[in-house]
Amino acid sequence: MHRPMLSLNRPPCDDGVVRSAPDTPGCAERAKPWVLAATILGSSMAFIDGSVVNVALPAIQADLAASVSGAQWVVNAYMLMLGALMLVGGSAGDRFGRRRIFALGIIIFTAASVACGLAPNTTALIAARAAQGVGGALLVPSSLAIIGASFPKEERGSAIGTWAGFSALTTALGPVLGGWLVDALSWRMIFFINLPLALITLAIAFRYVPESRDETNDAGVDWRGGLLATLGLGAVVYGLTIASDLGWAHPAVFGALLAGALALALFVRSEAHAPSPMMPLGLFQSATFSGANALTLLLYFALSGALFFLPFNLIRLQGYSATLAGAAFLPFTLIMGGLSRWSGGLFDRFGAKWPLIIGPVITAAGFALFALPGIGGSYWTTFFPAMVLLGLGMAVSVAPLTTAVMDAVAERHAGAASGINNAISRVAGMLAVALLGAVAVGVFEAALDERVAKLQLLPEVRQALEAEVPRLAEAEVPPQVDGADRTVLARALDESFLQSFRVVMLIATGLALASALCAALTIRTSRDRIARQSGISTTRPS
């Protein structure tokens, strides 16, 4: 199965949503190019936003004087709403009209983007990012569903290829463009570029894209499930985020985590009894489906956590400009794009099991290489080899993962299965940023204390340094320190962040290896695949 290239951490199964749509006669021939144009532009808004914000985070944190928890929420407010509501957004499009929900998502996303660009402080930016996530949850699944409804099955492969090719281009250029905008103008411009894209997309959509909906499905949208998922995930992420400031034993941390766990338990109970659940629990009766989603959780947790911290290292420690930091990701994105068709053939030759073992192992090696460089050195001998291995490992993993998810369930459930896997990948990224942020701050604080203990510092200087700890990579030497002491403290801050970065990368390495082990224990062998192709069922139907 052909796979498009991911954005820096774009989820698997995007094209699975299109392929799993029921067969339709499609739209008029003259409208098809315009349908692709509208969906490509609409999807590109979300893809570009997802990739450039990480590159701009150091500038955002510095300009708004935000702590690391504030930077985490800039990412996680968007991911929370996107991950929790994406399945609801897909259902809303099927019920109320895919073009209507697509357009509504673009309007919300764009208005929120403008609010992000105008945000006077971190709180306002986080609120606007949450609104962006709501728009994305309507926009992204509807854009894929429109392709599925507009093209008959025999034409979807070509449509997906066109959509994937342009997605690959925006993916590769997005971080570079975003970095250039940060360097040349302001981080605020990365949000304003959505405005002209949105106006063009809406004009095409209302002029050329036909309306479509699922006329056979009269079940309601699972709003209760979406609300419980949002509340549960939001409380868990809040608890993990404040743990870096308050400590794990603080009642607020424990209370938030407990409230989140209870809300998620209610979500599972609600899904078991809902007439049209956003996450049909019966799908998890398939061991392969459950294993593939566990693998997705582990692997995308590792990937998202690594990609959150990497720009801080490149910009703050290595001295890269935002443009060069964006360009540093090109080997990763280009390798994934260049090898996407080749990796799609791996399943046909070997089945899903071995690629889903070998791919994460290669990815783990890439994470481990990120932990090796110190401060300084050529990109080609420090971060380039790690980027190459990361791109290769993910390229080997993604296409077989998509196919394993789609093949693990009955064809009528393929759309729900791919949607669940996409949502899990986004939830994994959100949890990674929250949990690894707390870990990084803890390691940074301990490493800084160890280095400062060897210096003869005034009590007020030590107190000022402690206040800088929550800013992590953006921590600065107190202004009252000058001369040689200032140089020594600056070096201590840099080395302490480097130590925390290395710990994060080693955790990512372990999680990638754990995902390979998960594949070894749960994914079907190629012999099972051959038996299934012969008509022999090897999995209990879901």
Side-chain angles (χ1 to χ4, degrees):
M1 179 181 288
H2 172 73
R3 276 294 304 156
M5 180 174 64
L6 301 183
S7 73
L8 292 186
N9 57 345
R10 182 170 147 198
C13 285
D14 271 347
D15 61 347
V17 176
V18 182
R19 293 181 184 275
S20 64
D23 197 14
T24 65
C27 60
E29 197 66 32
R30 63 182 178 82
K32 290 177 181 177
W34 293 106
V35 169
L36 279 176
T39 55
I40 287 168
L41 286 172
S43 300
S44 294
M45 291 171 59
F47 296 160
I48 291 173
D49 187 85
S51 60
V52 302
V53 168
N54 275 14
V55 175
L57 267 181
I60 293 173
Q61 187 180 0
D63 186 41
L64 298 181
S67 66
V68 69
S69 62
Q72 288 172 283
W73 274 111
V74 170
V75 173
N76 275 346
Y78 176 78
M79 295 297 293
L80 170 63
M81 305 308 291
L82 185 66
L85 298 180
M86 177 160 289
L87 295 175
V88 172
S91 299
D94 291 340
R95 180 168 177 80
F96 301 115
R98 299 181 180 103
R99 187 185 67 174
R100 178 178 298 164
I101 298 300
F102 176 71
L104 178 61
I106 290 175
I107 292 170
I108 295 174
F109 190 92
T110 307
S113 296
V114 173
C116 286
L118 298 175
N121 52 51
T122 306
T123 302
L125 178 58
I126 291 170
R129 287 284 287 165
Q132 262 194 321
V134 175
L138 300 176
L139 159 65
V140 174
S142 296
S143 66
L144 296 169
I146 286 172
I147 295 178
S150 301
F151 291 84
K153 282 195 173 181
E154 63 271 15
E155 296 181 14
R156 286 178 193 165
S158 176
I160 291 170
T162 303
W163 175 80
F166 280 96
S167 297
L169 181 62
T170 58
T171 294
L173 297 181
V176 182
L177 173 62
W180 178 81
L181 288 172
V182 171
D183 289 333
L185 299 171
S186 167
W187 61 265
R188 298 178 184 277
M189 291 304 299
I190 69 172
F191 297 108
F192 290 139
I193 61 174
N194 288 327
L195 184 57
L197 286 175
L199 293 176
I200 295 171
T201 305
L202 288 173
I204 295 173
F206 285 122
R207 177 69 177 84
Y208 296 105
V209 176
E211 183 62 280
S212 63
R213 57 175 55 84
D214 186 356
E215 303 289 354
T216 65
N217 185 6
D218 57 358
V221 178
D222 187 12
W223 300 111
R224 182 173 61 181
L227 176 62
L228 289 172
T230 303
L231 293 175
L233 291 171
V236 169
V237 171
Y238 176 73
L240 294 175
T241 302
I242 63 174
S244 60
D245 294 329
L246 303 178
W248 292 99
H250 195 280
V253 175
F254 176 78
L257 295 177
L258 179 61
L262 290 174
L264 291 176
L266 289 174
F267 167 72
V268 173
R269 185 176 184 276
S270 173
E271 295 304 281
H273 297 91
S276 182
M278 58 184 278
M279 189 177 75
L281 300 181
L283 298 183
F284 291 92
Q285 292 177 356
S286 165
T288 296
F289 181 75
S290 297
N293 281 288
L295 184 156
T296 299
L297 183 69
L298 293 168
L299 188 60
Y300 278 79
F301 188 107
L303 182 65
S304 299
L307 295 182
F308 176 82
F309 287 98
L310 186 55
F312 288 98
N313 188 326
L314 295 175
I315 293 172
R316 296 307 177 204
L317 290 192
Q318 312 302 331
Y320 290 27
S321 66
T323 305
L324 288 179
F329 289 97
L330 282 175
F332 171 58
T333 54
L334 292 177
I335 287 173
M336 289 199 66
L339 296 181
S340 60
R341 186 171 296 276
W342 166 81
S343 64
L346 292 177
F347 179 86
D348 296 327
R349 295 183 60 188
F350 305 108
K353 189 182 188 75
W354 282 107
L356 289 180
I357 295 173
I358 295 172
V361 169
I362 297 173
T363 304
F367 291 138
L369 283 185
F370 278 125
L372 295 181
I375 301 174
S378 168
Y379 167 77
W380 302 106
T381 58
T382 54
F383 295 97
F384 176 73
M387 287 288 187
V388 169
L389 283 181
L390 192 64
L392 177 61
M394 290 302 295
V396 171
S397 304
V398 171
L401 177 58
T402 298
T403 311
V405 169
M406 300 288 285
D407 284 4
V409 301
E411 185 176 358
R412 67 183 184 277
H413 295 311
S418 57
I420 289 171
N421 190 253
N422 273 356
I424 286 176
S425 70
R426 289 181 166 96
V427 169
M430 177 180 61
L431 295 175
V433 171
L435 182 56
L436 293 181
V439 171
V441 170
V443 174
F444 176 76
E445 183 175 20
L448 185 61
D449 286 345
E450 182 180 345
R451 288 169 171 80
V452 168
K454 302 174 184 177
L455 305 175
Q456 300 295 324
L457 298 179
L458 296 174
E460 56 267 26
V461 173
R462 289 179 180 272
Q463 187 174 4
L465 274 177
E466 290 175 1
E468 288 292 314
V469 166
R471 301 188 66 200
L472 203 58
E474 293 297 326
E476 296 179 351
V477 178
Q480 61 265 44
V481 179
D482 55 16
D485 287 344
R486 187 170 189 86
T487 302
V488 171
L489 280 182
R491 182 74 180 183
L493 287 170
D494 288 345
E495 290 177 345
S496 298
F497 174 70
L498 179 61
Q499 187 169 333
S500 68
F501 176 82
R502 285 172 167 166
V503 169
V504 167
M505 292 301 158
L506 292 177
I507 292 174
T509 301
L511 290 170
L513 291 175
S515 71
L517 178 62
C518 182
L521 296 176
T522 62
I523 303 299
R524 286 193 185 100
T525 63
S526 57
R527 182 173 59 186
D528 294 327
R529 178 176 60 91
I530 293 170
R532 188 174 68 255
Q533 289 176 345
S534 302
I536 302 171
S537 176
T538 59
T539 302
R540 184 168 58 176
S542 55

